[in-house]
Amino acid sequence: MNRSLNLEIMMVFLENIRDKNKPQTSSHVYRHTLKKNEVEDDNAADVEVSELEKCREHLNSILAHWDPVFPAPPSTQGGETLRPSEPEAEAVAVTCASTHVVTKWLLRSLAGQSLLREQDVSPALRWLRNRVLPHLAATQEMLRDETARNNLFKLYSRLCQASSTSAGLSRELGVLSSIMLQLMEEQGLSSTFHKLVKSLCLSATMEEDADKTAVSVFLTSVYIGDMWLGAQEPDMLLTHVRLVCTNAGYELQDDLGTRKQGQETIMSLCKKIWLHQGINLRN
């Protein structure tokens, strides 16, 4: 009888073990399958994103080689500009609209690109400079579009950050800076101070001195950051210049020639800007 009782107890014990292990095994298989499916979904998503990035790169390259054909400007007679005919006016409107669509796409695409690369930025900026800016109607159309303006400034800000680690992107920053300054002129900025900053930007693209180029690009970027966002005066730039010039009396204790040369370059350009504003350097 004891043997029978022990056998029954053992059977119950084994049943409990089987019942206990069965859901655990099933749960383990379920979790493994779920994790495997998640990994596969992530891999598929990564492939899809990668393919979309390639498609966008190809499309950008194609658009950056498109040459919009604008009708000839209206002729003049007796010192007065003749009004374009209806077909001519319609042709201008269609070309401007098409150019604007491409401009918006390129700006949005580059501004949202995960990694800025010189081979992507360079063709788009040169297209903008050579195919859009020479045509007043297309330029004004872009400036009226708040989204396009915001994406242009977003691209500029990202390029300012990325240029510190890439010589190629640093060159492209100079190109975009000149574009931004020209667009600001189209909005009515024509002061002598603006022309001074524009000359700094131009010198940055032609200067062989790396220190002077870097300082010129930096000062130009601070000015653009002020004025593009609607400031009446370049307060941030002038504050930076004032701080550099008023603290220039320190003695250069570092014997490294490159550092001293860089500091002298900064001081020279800042002093030029400060003197232009008529600020007394002795105060």
Side-chain angles (χ1 to χ4, degrees):
M1 181 175 180
N2 288 337
R3 290 172 57 189
S4 176
L5 180 61
N6 290 339
L7 182 60
E8 289 180 5
I9 292 174
M10 186 177 295
M11 293 298 294
V12 171
F13 180 71
L14 290 174
E15 283 291 333
N16 288 338
I17 291 178
R18 280 200 298 268
D19 292 341
K20 185 177 181 181
N21 288 338
K22 186 175 181 180
Q24 286 183 349
T25 303
S26 176
S27 176
H28 174 73
V29 171
Y30 173 75
R31 286 197 302 270
H32 176 73
T33 303
L34 182 61
K35 185 176 181 180
K36 181 180 179 181
N37 291 338
E38 289 177 351
V39 170
E40 291 176 352
D41 290 342
D42 289 342
N43 291 337
D46 291 339
V47 170
E48 184 177 355
V49 170
S50 176
E51 292 301 319
L52 288 174
E53 286 285 345
K54 290 179 182 178
C55 290
R56 182 166 64 176
E57 291 171 9
H58 292 318
L59 179 57
N60 288 353
S61 178
I62 293 170
L63 293 176
H65 285 85
W66 175 57
D67 188 1
V69 179
F70 286 84
S75 56
T76 59
Q77 184 176 357
E80 295 183 0
T81 302
L82 299 178
R83 294 185 60 183
S85 63
E86 185 173 337
E88 290 175 338
E90 184 178 351
V92 171
V94 170
T95 305
C96 278
S98 303
T99 304
H100 184 57
V101 169
V102 174
T103 302
K104 286 186 66 174
W105 167 263
L106 289 174
L107 292 177
R108 184 179 65 179
S109 176
L110 288 175
Q113 196 164 303
S114 57
L115 178 65
L116 288 178
R117 302 182 304 174
E118 182 185 2
Q119 60 264 37
D120 299 327
V121 175
S122 180
L125 294 186
R126 277 148 186 78
W127 182 85
L128 189 62
R129 183 185 64 186
N130 300 328
R131 301 289 181 262
V132 178
L133 294 189
H135 305 285
L136 181 59
T139 301
Q140 291 176 340
E141 184 78 16
M142 181 179 65
L143 290 173
R144 284 192 293 266
D145 191 319
E146 192 67 24
T147 301
R149 286 171 51 87
N150 290 340
N151 282 329
L152 181 60
F153 187 73
K154 181 180 178 181
L155 173 61
Y156 186 76
S157 300
R158 290 196 60 201
L159 200 53
C160 285
Q161 296 174 351
S163 63
S164 61
T165 59
S166 167
L169 290 179
S170 181
R171 287 191 297 270
E172 297 310 318
L173 178 59
V175 175
L176 184 52
S177 294
S178 66
I179 291 173
M180 300 283 281
L181 291 173
Q182 186 171 341
L183 290 173
M184 290 158 69
E185 289 177 0
E186 293 292 345
Q187 299 174 83
L189 273 176
S190 58
S191 65
T192 56
F193 189 83
H194 180 84
K195 293 177 181 177
L196 172 63
V197 175
K198 190 174 180 179
S199 69
L200 283 178
C201 179
L202 180 62
S203 69
T205 61
M206 303 173 63
E207 183 63 52
E208 295 182 359
D209 186 335
D211 289 327
K212 192 170 183 179
T213 297
V215 174
S216 298
V217 168
F218 170 73
L219 294 175
T220 301
S221 69
V222 177
Y223 172 78
I224 291 174
D226 271 337
M227 305 306 289
W228 187 265
L229 297 177
Q232 297 299 313
E233 296 290 338
D235 295 328
M236 189 178 298
L237 174 61
L238 293 177
T239 298
H240 178 80
V241 168
R242 185 181 299 111
L243 288 173
V244 170
C245 292
T246 54
N247 290 285
Y250 64 82
E251 183 178 352
L252 294 175
Q253 297 178 356
D254 200 323
D255 293 332
L256 293 177
T258 53
R259 179 173 179 179
K260 181 177 180 180
Q261 182 181 357
Q263 291 171 336
E264 289 176 348
T265 302
I266 294 172
M267 179 57 194
S268 173
L269 292 175
C270 286
K271 185 177 180 180
K272 183 178 180 180
I273 295 174
W274 203 3
L275 286 174
H276 184 276
Q277 286 299 99
I279 301 174
N280 187 352
L281 292 175
R282 296 180 180 178
N283 292 338

